[in-house]
Amino acid sequence: MFYLDSRQIYRSSELDSLEWLLHGFGTRFADVPALFSQLATVKQVHSSTCVVAEGRSGVLGEADALLEDRPGAVVAVKTADCIPVLLADERTRTVAAIHAGWRGTAARIVERAVAAMGARFGSAPAGLHAAIGPGIGKCCYEVGPEVAAQFGLQGRAHLDLAEENRRQLLNTGIPIDHVCVSWLCTMCGPGFHSFRRDRESAGRMYSFIGISAVH
Ligand SMILES: [Zn+2]
């Protein structure tokens, strides 16, 4: 279940149950960078590249997923219609933030991130929890035949990026009750930046996940 907190940040009550974890999906009214003295991001390029932050902050090169295992560290992705996905491993207390637009989704970036957490931190899918945040919904996301074909659809079609990412996460072996989806649409829902709606004037919203310094 998702709810809006007093800072105008959506949170997953499932992820809230991990007491060592910090997380949230900022709306257009949230000032997420002001919340943290150190925050790691990447220059997002619609790839399936994953970077391990290793306690660094600032912009850590070109990638679309950030992994972290250091207490006190927070990683974030920025979106306006693309899907933000947050992963937390209850066993190794490690995290990932992922930016999944249609290109990243077609490149299976969430599966890559789960594999990278396994390779770097020893995470197993059975211990992972995932939250899929607000992004453009199937209601508003009509795409042309070339993009639709990437997802096995013919002609112009309405794409459900959140569902595609949910399916990929389940494919990795994450338990179905560990994957929650906001189903909030950034284009027709209130309080979001939307690139499709606002074009060049659209801002970006921060989705973040981190490990508490003390736990
Ligand atoms: Zn919509």
Side-chain angles (χ1 to χ4, degrees):
M1 193 194 117
F2 279 70
Y3 67 97
L4 192 60
D5 75 11
S6 60
R7 304 167 302 176
Q8 300 297 307
I9 292 170
Y10 278 100
R11 300 234 302 264
S12 150
S13 47
E14 284 82 2
L15 291 190
D16 276 349
S17 65
L18 300 172
E19 78 287 352
W20 53 272
L21 189 69
L22 309 165
H23 86 281
F25 299 91
T27 64
R28 67 184 302 162
F29 305 117
D31 187 0
V32 170
L35 297 175
F36 304 107
S37 55
Q38 293 209 319
L39 187 66
T41 60
V42 280
K43 181 175 190 294
Q44 298 171 184
V45 291
H46 296 280
S47 67
S48 62
T49 306
C50 306
V51 161
V52 185
E54 300 178 303
R56 293 172 293 166
S57 60
V59 183
L60 309 182
E62 294 189 351
D64 290 272
L66 271 155
L67 280 56
E68 185 57 289
D69 65 346
R70 308 286 168 92
V74 183
V75 295
V77 290
K78 295 180 277 182
T79 60
D81 288 343
C82 289
I83 309 289
V85 180
L86 303 177
L87 296 176
D89 181 4
E90 65 182 30
R91 295 179 185 168
T92 62
R93 296 194 169 181
T94 57
V95 299
I98 301 154
H99 160 249
W102 76 259
R103 288 185 187 83
T105 302
R108 303 191 163 267
I109 188 167
V110 294
E111 293 183 2
R112 294 276 303 265
V114 169
M117 287 182 76
R120 290 298 299 256
F121 306 144
S123 298
L128 292 179
H129 295 257
I132 299 175
I136 194 163
K138 189 179 182 183
C139 43
C140 293
Y141 197 33
E142 189 180 2
V143 297
E146 296 81 11
V147 174
Q150 301 271 333
F151 298 90
L153 303 169
Q154 301 207 319
R156 294 191 69 80
H158 281 259
L159 203 55
D160 190 341
L161 281 183
E163 174 59 19
E164 292 287 340
N165 281 283
R166 191 185 77 94
R167 215 177 291 152
Q168 289 182 22
L169 289 165
L170 295 177
N171 275 343
T172 68
I174 300 178
I176 193 163
D177 59 333
H178 287 194
V179 180
C180 54
V181 187
S182 80
W183 302 119
L184 293 162
C185 174
T186 46
M187 187 160 169
C188 67
F192 300 110
H193 289 299
S194 169
F195 184 76
R196 238 188 202 215
R197 187 187 60 217
D198 305 330
R199 294 289 158 187
E200 300 309 321
S201 66
R204 296 292 184 273
M205 300 172 292
Y206 283 76
S207 296
F208 64 91
I209 190 160
I211 304 155
S212 325
V214 182
H215 54 250

